Amino acid sequence: MLRGFSHGNLEDISPDLGLDVPSGQMRRSLPRADLSRIVRHDHIVQEVIVKNTMALSVPQSLLHGSSRSRSPSLCLPRGLPNSADLGEALEPGPRAEPRVVMSSQGRSLQRSTTHSSAAAARELKPFATADIKILLLENVNTAGQDILRQQGYQVEALKSSLPEAELIEKIQDVHVIGIRSKTQLTKKVIDSAPNLLVIGCFCIGTNQVDLKHAAQKGVAVFNSPFSNSRSVAEQVISEIIALARQICDRSMELHQGKWNKVSAGCWEVRGKTLGIVGYGHIGNQLSVLAEAMGMRVIFYDVVNLMSMGTAHQVSTLDELLQQADFVTLHVPELPETENMISTEQLNKMKDGSYLLNLSRGSIVDIQAVIDASRSGKLAGAAFDVYPNEPAANGDYFNNSLNQWTDALNSCKNFILTPHIGGSTEEAQRAIGVEVADALVQYVNYGTTLGACNMPEVNLRSLTADEPNHVRMVYIHQNVPGVLRRVNEILGDHNVDKQMTDSRGDVAYLMADISNVNQQQIKDIYVALEELSSRIRTRVLY
């Protein structure tokens, strides 16, 4: 039988998602109330919901709207619920046979249950799933939405991003937010979301999120770095061929009624040299596809990497630019990569070569590329990303967005696409499944595997044979002496398993403690809350 505390805010029920309370806040007691209901799901008592208030401790900031408040949540009850109801909640439930739930990459995640005499991994949910509010923006794939709805969460899905002011208003009572590349989760936005536990980036990049500030607020961030790699690689291959044959210009002319059958300046790609800048997952797949078409492949990366097939790594970017007929960019957006291709680099490229950018808009000085095209240095280019991109579909790609837009549109043999490198049904479904799985694992079990801004911590599942166990998650500042203080608190109990790791200024500790009752759980929680290093404490049981 599973159980866990949730709480009501001062007016109605709002899940505590791990009993999060801001650190360093003054607290005061509220009146006592009774245990209201036990939620049953699949023959398992998932949790005990505390309506209204018990003898709960509330941060002073919650009552006065302090901007420092991390979550409008209440501490673990100081008193115990009604004894009759609690007795029912504590009785052992039926055992179940484990059914492994697989991720999109074939990994075993956690286990769901069907009835059997075998011990099963039990779900850890200290909240009523129907009270979990999730906001998905930018048309997240329905496969990901379905996974979240199947958990019983409240899911609101919008097709576009939101302006900052509207987003700040919308995110205030949200526990999980899912975005793609357009939504900007800045420090200001994150600070306006006191309930926020986790962010899901349903895309490769995370530069649209203030990762450091999210970690400092105890908010984990997950993304999908590999799921659309094939789609991007295939688009690059298609554009290499289209540029070499000037297909887009001929198509546009014929749409306008102009028949222009020419061969001048059109080439086969077989035997040509492809230079890949950034030899990650996309670069790897692109390398294999290009070699299959008879291209010679060279690549440049800041680290030494094993090549695929007969691809050859060069030692400098200049060396690649001087040799390649086609240069394609696949690097992250970093201060070091801003305008990494500008006038100086373009001048080092071969006359009549081609440039493709399907990584990030800040990587290329586009005005310099326009100038190189007009001078005849470049025979063509392909862009899928831009420094400033419209927030929604429509007639927004103009000079008011980027001052060189009209000049870019006038260039010959230029392929311009609206950031669709990963926009295939296969890629979006894979991304939806991967990120949604990660969100469920974090919210329900505290697992941070794959997190972009948190240490990666995971423990094996608790089972139905361990009804009096609790999982404690303690996110804290990475400062000396914390583990000693935490272990002093846990020292009087049997810690079955424990793992901790740090990443920068933030550390993450997870421990499963056996044979504890409600009062002991409360005592542990309160003691952890009082530590000065605390960022967030969660109780999963």
Side-chain angles (χ1 to χ4, degrees):
M1 184 168 292
L2 306 181
R3 54 206 179 275
F5 280 109
S6 184
H7 65 78
N9 61 23
L10 300 184
E11 293 78 29
D12 56 347
I13 293 181
S14 176
D16 128 328
L17 293 183
L19 308 170
D20 307 311
V21 180
S23 60
Q25 307 291 324
M26 296 177 62
R27 298 183 171 96
R28 68 186 186 188
S29 295
L30 294 174
R32 187 179 182 85
D34 292 330
L35 176 71
S36 66
R37 74 173 186 266
I38 297 175
V39 179
R40 297 182 180 275
H41 178 66
D42 291 339
H43 308 281
I44 298 174
V45 177
Q46 289 187 316
E47 49 214 281
V48 177
I49 297 180
V50 181
K51 273 188 179 177
N52 301 324
T53 56
M54 296 179 59
L56 300 179
S57 179
V58 183
Q60 190 76 10
S61 61
L62 172 60
L63 303 177
H64 298 285
S66 167
S67 62
R68 293 180 60 194
S69 175
R70 297 185 189 282
S71 171
S73 54
L74 308 183
C75 289
L76 199 65
R78 294 187 182 278
L80 290 176
N82 179 279
S83 59
D85 290 335
L86 184 60
E88 179 184 355
L90 293 178
E91 290 181 5
R95 295 181 179 181
E97 179 179 342
R99 177 171 57 85
V100 177
V101 180
M102 303 303 291
S103 75
S104 60
Q105 296 178 330
R107 297 194 306 266
S108 173
L109 296 172
Q110 297 284 347
R111 296 172 182 266
S112 60
T113 54
T114 54
H115 285 293
S116 173
S117 59
R122 62 188 177 93
E123 297 180 357
L124 303 175
K125 296 180 181 179
F127 49 82
T129 55
D131 292 331
I132 308 309
K133 293 186 178 181
I134 298 181
L135 176 63
L136 302 178
L137 302 176
E138 304 181 62
N139 202 25
V140 169
N141 188 267
T142 55
Q145 296 184 35
D146 291 343
I147 289 173
L148 298 173
R149 289 194 172 97
Q150 287 165 8
Q151 292 292 317
Y153 305 148
Q154 294 183 42
V155 179
E156 180 181 6
L158 304 180
K159 291 187 176 181
S160 65
S161 60
L162 296 175
E164 184 176 84
E166 189 175 346
L167 179 59
I168 287 174
E169 180 67 25
K170 194 83 170 176
I171 202 176
Q172 290 183 10
D173 61 348
V174 166
H175 305 102
V176 181
I177 185 169
I179 63 173
R180 292 177 68 187
S181 57
K182 293 186 177 68
T183 302
Q184 299 296 311
L185 295 182
T186 61
K187 179 180 183 295
K188 182 178 179 181
V189 173
I190 293 171
D191 285 341
S192 67
N195 283 354
L196 192 61
L197 276 183
V198 59
I199 297 167
C201 295
F202 288 79
C203 52
I204 292 179
T206 56
N207 56 295
Q208 68 275 41
V209 180
D210 189 332
L211 296 178
K212 183 175 181 179
H213 187 67
Q216 291 170 346
K217 300 285 284 188
V219 178
V221 180
F222 294 89
N223 71 332
S224 179
F226 315 127
S227 294
N228 68 358
S229 300
R230 178 70 181 198
S231 296
V232 176
E234 288 186 2
Q235 180 167 326
V236 174
I237 289 294
S238 70
E239 291 179 343
I240 289 173
I241 297 173
L243 288 172
R245 298 294 300 274
Q246 302 179 14
I247 289 175
C248 292
D249 282 6
R250 299 294 86 77
S251 176
M252 187 179 301
E253 291 166 353
L254 202 55
H255 275 285
Q256 297 169 352
K258 181 180 180 180
W259 185 274
N260 187 21
K261 183 179 179 180
V262 296
S263 59
C266 298
W267 313 94
E268 292 182 354
V269 299
R270 180 181 55 178
K272 305 302 186 294
T273 298
L274 173 63
I276 303 173
V277 182
Y279 202 66
H281 287 80
I282 296 173
N284 269 266
Q285 294 207 35
L286 178 57
S287 175
V288 173
L289 294 174
E291 283 198 344
M293 296 193 303
M295 299 187 77
R296 170 178 173 259
V297 178
I298 59 176
F299 66 92
Y300 170 72
D301 204 293
V302 293
V303 296
N304 291 325
L305 298 169
M306 183 178 70
S307 63
M308 303 294 290
T310 60
H312 171 67
Q313 183 170 7
V314 296
S315 57
T316 65
L317 176 61
D318 287 352
E319 185 179 350
L320 180 142
L321 297 174
Q322 292 164 3
Q323 295 185 41
D325 299 299
F326 297 84
V327 175
T328 180
L329 308 173
H330 304 282
V331 298
E333 185 174 51
L334 300 170
E336 296 82 4
T337 60
E338 183 175 359
N339 284 337
M340 70 179 297
I341 301 296
S342 190
T343 302
E344 179 183 352
Q345 290 74 31
L346 292 168
N347 288 336
K348 295 175 181 178
M349 293 177 64
K350 296 171 67 173
D351 292 341
S353 57
Y354 305 84
L355 177 70
L356 300 92
N357 183 23
L358 286 82
S359 56
R360 287 291 178 262
S362 64
I363 306 303
V364 175
D365 180 351
I366 294 184
Q367 183 60 57
V369 175
I370 294 171
D371 295 339
S373 172
R374 289 172 172 173
S375 69
K377 180 68 176 181
L378 291 181
F383 291 101
D384 189 51
V385 290
Y386 311 89
N388 299 303
E389 298 180 356
N393 292 341
D395 299 329
Y396 306 120
F397 192 67
N398 49 48
N399 272 22
S400 63
L401 192 67
N402 298 289
Q403 62 182 3
W404 35 252
T405 302
D406 290 345
L408 182 68
N409 289 333
S410 68
C411 289
K412 297 294 185 181
N413 202 26
F414 269 42
I415 301 174
L416 307 180
T417 50
H419 205 150
I420 57 171
S423 296
T424 62
E425 294 288 349
E426 296 89 346
Q428 291 306 308
R429 186 185 187 284
I431 290 171
V433 170
E434 182 178 0
V435 177
D437 282 344
L439 295 177
V440 170
Q441 292 299 299
Y442 182 77
V443 173
N444 292 1
Y445 305 100
T447 298
T448 58
L449 294 181
C452 304
N453 66 334
M454 290 275 187
E456 293 190 293
V457 176
N458 188 30
L459 294 177
R460 68 178 183 274
S461 300
L462 293 174
T463 70
D465 285 344
E466 302 170 307
N468 296 320
H469 286 52
V470 64
R471 174 165 291 180
M472 306 295 300
V473 174
Y474 185 63
I475 308 173
H476 60 88
Q477 300 168 19
N478 185 22
V479 294
V482 176
L483 290 182
R484 176 177 59 81
R485 296 291 305 279
V486 171
N487 287 326
E488 286 174 355
I489 294 170
L490 303 181
D492 293 334
H493 305 279
N494 182 33
V495 179
D496 280 358
K497 47 189 178 293
Q498 176 178 326
M499 182 176 178
T500 184
D501 198 359
S502 63
R503 184 171 183 169
D505 297 330
V506 176
Y508 194 97
L509 181 146
M510 187 188 298
D512 287 349
I513 307 166
S514 62
N515 300 319
V516 286
N517 57 37
Q518 298 293 325
Q519 183 61 44
Q520 291 171 324
I521 294 172
K522 187 206 79 167
D523 292 341
I524 295 171
Y525 177 80
V526 170
L528 291 174
E529 284 289 290
E530 292 176 348
L531 296 180
S532 61
S533 61
R534 175 207 180 273
I535 295 176
R536 175 165 299 204
T537 306
R538 300 183 67 199
V539 179
L540 302 171
Y541 67 113

